[in-house]
Amino acid sequence: MSTPHSGEPLHADPALINAFEVLGQKWNGLILHALAQRPARFGEIRSAVSGISDRMLSDGLHELVARALVTHTRLPPGPVAYTLTADGHALAPVLDQAASWWRSRAG
């Protein structure tokens, strides 16, 4: 273990930088958490994520689809359902741990 001021340079893990590009977006983690419960339509996600605007939800879903964390499927007669991919599901425990950490701090 290094001691303070040991002269070793600090560095940011590139993988963590990439993870925070996704999870650092205010709404993305909440969208992923909602979809971890079950596939849902746009309006259902909007209801689950309190305070999100239609624009922010749309932007977040587009980003999560582009990053292969969420897929969308058109259902007959036309609404779209959003579902987590395997990579999206892999984030569910991380989001649960973050929520547990916060609850433990809030005491």
Side-chain angles (χ1 to χ4, degrees):
M1 182 170 160
S2 297
T3 59
H5 309 291
S6 66
E8 295 178 26
L10 298 174
H11 72 281
D13 184 335
L16 194 55
I17 292 168
N18 291 328
F20 274 105
E21 282 182 12
V22 176
L23 296 176
Q25 300 296 320
K26 179 177 181 178
W27 301 109
N28 285 355
L30 297 173
I31 294 167
L32 290 167
H33 183 262
L35 290 173
Q37 298 169 53
R38 66 172 175 80
R41 294 185 314 260
F42 187 93
E44 293 174 306
I45 301 167
R46 184 183 55 228
S47 294
V49 181
S50 179
I52 194 168
S53 69
D54 286 355
R55 170 75 187 251
M56 295 308 295
L57 177 54
S58 180
D59 289 350
L61 286 168
H62 280 107
E63 178 181 1
L64 295 170
V65 167
R67 292 182 180 269
L69 298 172
V70 171
T71 61
H72 64 284
T73 306
R74 190 160 304 278
L75 302 172
V80 173
Y82 295 91
T83 307
L84 291 184
T85 63
D87 285 342
H89 277 290
L91 281 171
V94 174
L95 299 172
D96 290 340
Q97 286 180 327
S100 292
W101 170 78
W102 184 255
R103 280 192 291 276
S104 72
R105 292 180 44 88

